[in-house]
Each structure stands twice: as structure tokens, then as C-alpha cells.
Amino acid sequence: MAERRISRWYFGGVASCGAACCTHPLDLLKVHLQTQQAVKMRMMGMAMHVVKNDGALALYSGLSASLCRQMSYSLTRFAIYETVRDMVSRDSKGPLPFHQKVLLGAFGGFTGGFIGTPADMVNVRMQNDVKLPPELRRNYKHALDGLCRVFREEGLKKLFSGATMASSRGALVTVGQLACYDQAKQLVLVTGFMKDNIFTHFLSSFIAGGCATFLCQPLDVIKTRLMNSKGEYSGVAHCLKETAKLGPLAFWQGLVPAGIRLIPHTVLTFIFLEQLRNHFGVVVVS
């Protein structure tokens, strides 16, 4: 009888928070680039602009909202995916087929995306605040203050502004991250060249991060524009139309910083998750 460890339901949220603390400045720059009305600055130019105008700590603007988002969005999608995957694979005595991983990842990501929409919107607003003129800034003190003010000033419906895009993006990024990570890790281990160690986790998560970036970038741009809007878009279709006027490349605005942010975030998330599983996971006998 062999013993192995499986994740506890909240490990994904904790691992994602650890990764978010490391990659938050890249996430902030990505939001700034995506909300430009025209392509004016590149990544390094935007970073220098933020630091010059508001100081180095401005790169961590909205960190509390980012952590709040991870503990709603990421915790939900990881909890659904890992719990169901472990239950089904234990009954079937083997790993899930890839198409089942994709379906499970899409469901978990869609659900997590919807639940995490309010925190995600406040996160985008807090990150974008530093580039607005002082008189136009919302000046949320922290994530909970932002959530309460949006509810009080704009209503419950506004808290879920962009929920369709956030849920759709959540489904795609979870397929790219969780399903592709599981499959990449499985394929790497089958070769026999690598064992189940941190190098395998790094390689598998790097592949998963690239897949997730490729899949979700157009939706990420639309979602960011909708959440940051002050009424200029009447809905998803209108936002798509206005973004298209900027040219097809507008849907891939911020692709490089998105990849630079999402790939390290994915790598760190899975390395942290694997360490949590190995040291604090639930022991099962198979």
C-alpha cells in the first residue's frame, strides 16, 4: 500500500496569495497598459512613469484587493478542481483524461471568476487610480473599503460589472493553468527522465502559464476595460466594438507584460502549492 498526499481545499488560495505578493507590480503595469486609450507607453516606460510620479510603493497599489481576489477567485477554482479531481481519480484508480480536466477546469474557473468579480473590480480600480489626476481618483483605503463604497455609491449590480467576461476569462485561465499543468506534469513524469520534484513542477507550471496567457489575453483586455469604465460602455458588445476601433492589436495590448506576470505567477503558485501539499497535505493510502 502506497501513501501519498493530496491538497487541502484551501491550499490553492494560500499558494495564489503568496504568488500575488511577488508578482503584483507586474499585474499593476498590465492593467495600466490595457486601460490606455491609445498605445502610448510600453512596459518599462509605464513602470518609470508610475515610479516617477507616485514613488516605488505605488507599484503595490491595490495589493489588499489582489489578495482579496485570490482568496475568493483562486480559492474557489482550486477547491473545485482539486477536490473533484482527487475524488474522481481515486474512484477510477488513475489520472483523469485530458478532456475531463479541461471541462472540470472550465467549470471551476467560471464559478471562481463569478465569485471573485467584486474583488477583481476593486483590484483593477485601485491599480488604475495611481495614473489618474488627483481629482478623479477614487482613493479606496483598502479592498473592503472599496467593496463597501461601490455597493453604497453604485449599487450591488455594479459590483458584478464585467462578471460575464471575468467568468469566461476564469474558465480559460483555469484550463490553461490547472488542466495544462496536470497534463504537462503527467507527460513529463511518464518520460522517466524527471522525478516528481521542484524541477518538474517548474517546467510543468511554465508550460501551463504560457497556455493560460495565450488563451485569456483578449478576454482579459475587455474585462479590464469594462471594470474600469465610468459608464462609457453600455455592455460587452459595445466595449468589443470600441476596442476593435483601435485595431486588432488592441485585443492583445499588454500581451508581453501579461505573460511576464502570469507565467511567474503560475510557476510560483504551483511551486507553493506542491510544497504545501508535500508538507501539510492529507495523507491517503492507495
Side-chain angles (χ1 to χ4, degrees), residues 53-239:
N53 289 343
D54 297 280
L57 287 178
L59 291 171
Y60 277 90
S61 176
L63 178 61
S64 65
S66 181
L67 296 177
C68 182
R69 174 177 179 263
Q70 297 301 336
M71 289 305 290
S72 52
Y73 159 65
S74 285
L75 187 145
T76 301
R77 68 195 183 108
F78 270 93
I80 291 173
Y81 181 88
E82 297 234 315
T83 302
V84 176
R85 180 203 62 194
D86 290 339
M87 287 174 60
V88 174
S89 60
R90 187 163 61 243
D91 293 338
S92 62
K93 304 296 182 183
L96 294 181
F98 183 60
H99 71 277
Q100 290 184 8
K101 294 175 185 173
V102 169
L103 291 173
L104 182 55
F107 175 73
F110 190 89
T111 306
F114 180 79
I115 291 173
T117 297
D120 199 7
M121 186 189 68
V122 172
N123 181 36
V124 169
R125 287 185 172 190
M126 289 180 73
Q127 290 176 346
N128 198 52
D129 236 20
V130 296
K131 78 172 188 179
L132 295 174
E135 65 275 10
L136 295 178
R137 293 181 180 181
R138 296 181 174 96
N139 293 318
Y140 298 148
K141 296 175 184 176
H142 45 73
L144 291 179
D145 177 57
L147 291 169
C148 292
R149 281 183 53 188
V150 173
F151 177 75
R152 187 170 60 247
E153 297 168 10
E154 302 174 64
L156 179 64
K157 186 177 179 181
K158 189 63 178 179
L159 275 174
F160 288 90
S161 172
T164 302
M165 300 306 297
S167 299
S168 301
R169 178 192 178 275
L172 289 175
V173 79
T174 305
V175 168
Q177 285 184 326
L178 277 70
C180 290
Y181 174 80
D182 267 0
Q183 194 67 20
K185 182 181 173 184
Q186 183 183 327
L187 292 173
V188 168
L189 292 175
V190 164
T191 63
F193 292 115
M194 299 180 73
K195 295 182 179 180
D196 191 358
N197 54 31
I198 196 168
F199 300 108
T200 299
H201 304 158
F202 175 84
L203 178 60
S204 304
S205 56
F206 191 91
I207 294 169
C211 293
T213 305
F214 177 80
L215 285 171
C216 73
Q217 183 61 13
L219 282 177
D220 201 16
V221 170
I222 300 301
K223 181 208 70 166
T224 301
R225 287 177 173 271
L226 281 170
M227 288 183 169
N228 199 55
S229 72
K230 292 187 175 181
E232 59 263 41
Y233 303 124
S234 59
V236 175
H238 184 219
C239 185

